[in-house]
């Protein structure tokens, strides 16, 4: 059984006892983290000032104004303020409930 850590309307965070990773799923995004990587991600996301970035990028042609680099210069996650707030809620420690099981049998998410 997988342990559900947190859930919102558009996402969830859970730990798989088989692969030992923490899986972050939000809309069409999926990240698979070690504990250290997850803690870094949570701290980074909780520190983002959505108001600042929406003002700074107000003249951008993109609909969403909050840009989050994801690994290299060619790939960014872009969010609006409502999405950022939901992700922060999803990652907030006050929403952790590690004893809620999900009925998922393995963690092989590849298409192999």
């Amino acid at each position: 059984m997988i342990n559900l850590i947190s859930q919102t309307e558009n996402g969830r965070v859970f730990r798989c006892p088989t692969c030992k990773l923490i899986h972050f799923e939000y809309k069409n995004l999926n990240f698979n983290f070690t504990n250290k990587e997850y803690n870094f991600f949570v701290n980074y996301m909780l520190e983002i000032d959505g108001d600042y970035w929406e003002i700074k990028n107000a003249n951008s042609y993109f609909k969403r104004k909050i840009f989050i680099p994801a690994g290299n210069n060619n790939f960014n996650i872009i969010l609006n303020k409502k999405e950022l707030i939901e992700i922060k809620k999803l990652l907030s420690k006050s929403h952790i409930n590690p004893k809620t099981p999900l009925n998922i049998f393995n963690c092989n998410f590849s298409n192999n």
Side-chain angles (χ1 to χ4, degrees), residues 14-98:
F14 58 94
R15 180 187 301 276
C16 173
T18 304
C19 68
K20 309 292 187 219
L21 295 176
I22 298 171
H23 302 279
F24 169 85
E25 171 187 6
Y26 182 76
K27 294 190 176 189
N28 65 339
L29 298 174
N30 168 247
F31 299 106
N32 307 307
F33 296 115
T34 64
N35 286 341
K36 184 177 180 180
E37 292 166 338
Y38 178 71
N39 287 330
F40 178 84
F41 178 72
V42 168
N43 290 332
Y44 181 83
M45 294 300 291
L46 293 178
E47 291 296 318
I48 294 173
D49 183 343
D51 291 330
Y52 170 82
W53 289 109
E54 284 196 331
I55 292 168
K56 182 166 177 66
N57 296 321
N59 294 325
S60 167
Y61 292 111
F62 293 99
K63 180 179 173 183
R64 292 173 170 92
K65 306 298 183 185
I66 302 167
F67 295 79
I68 301 167
N72 65 43
N73 293 335
N74 299 324
F75 184 72
N76 294 297
I77 300 165
I78 55 175
L79 305 169
N80 61 37
K81 189 173 171 184
K82 181 179 175 184
E83 291 167 330
L84 179 62
I85 290 168
E86 184 178 358
I87 287 175
K88 286 182 176 189
K89 180 179 176 185
L90 183 62
L91 298 175
S92 171
K93 297 196 187 306
S94 65
H95 292 84
I96 291 176
N97 185 5

